[in-house]
Amino acid sequence: MTIGVASWRDSSAVGSAVAGWVSDSLDHFDDPDHQVHVAVANHEIVRIVTAGERRHFTGEVDAYVGELAVKAGHERGGIGSLLMRAAEQWARDRGLRRLTLETGAANRATRAFYARVGYYEEDVRLTESI
């Protein structure tokens, strides 16, 4: 089971999707409208954050974190906060006023992390099995 994924979702499909998102982000690391920051420990990447621009339905352009991923065993070391600050600075440097992201409602630990570093919940998606 993938941590923080709703019980009715296929966790292996979620894992594959996340791996694809990270791979796509790394493929665009030199795109000026995209930013990738990594944390390295013992010569391997243990955390990654990617940011780009995304238009909100109001028409305003926000910075958007596509992924903040951590390798198992490297949680709670403060690196996630530093990577988020780097993404925020990238957004400020571009003149953007907001940095947004999405995470699953079942991902309580991650939601608590984002609340600790100053993020507010804005949208909710509701699902019914039919």
Side-chain angles (χ1 to χ4, degrees):
M1 182 171 149
T2 303
I3 296 171
V5 174
S7 62
W8 59 85
R9 297 293 182 188
D10 178 345
S11 62
S12 65
V14 171
S16 294
V18 170
W21 297 333
V22 170
S23 178
D24 288 348
S25 290
L26 292 175
D27 288 345
H28 295 93
F29 77 94
D30 59 350
D31 181 339
D33 292 330
H34 190 80
Q35 188 73 27
V36 177
H37 295 278
V38 298
V40 177
N42 297 321
H43 305 290
E44 84 179 318
I45 295 173
V46 296
R47 277 199 179 262
I48 181 174
V49 66
T50 66
E53 292 184 1
R54 186 184 228 188
R55 186 169 303 279
H56 187 264
F57 66 82
T58 61
E60 186 175 8
V61 176
D62 296 329
Y64 177 76
V65 167
E67 297 81 35
L68 175 63
V70 61
K71 184 174 180 177
H74 294 273
E75 303 90 343
R76 297 193 158 279
I79 302 298
S81 298
L82 292 173
L83 289 174
M84 288 303 296
R85 297 300 172 238
E88 292 163 8
Q89 186 60 54
W90 176 82
R92 275 191 295 278
D93 291 347
R94 297 179 70 76
L96 301 172
R97 295 179 36 212
R98 290 181 186 79
L99 179 63
T100 65
L101 58 93
E102 297 169 359
T103 192
N107 201 345
R108 289 182 179 90
T110 298
R111 289 170 60 203
F113 162 76
Y114 287 121
R116 279 192 310 275
V117 297
Y119 287 76
Y120 300 95
E121 294 187 359
E122 180 178 6
D123 296 321
V124 175
R125 178 187 355 212
L126 303 174
T127 302
E128 179 182 8
S129 296
I130 54 173

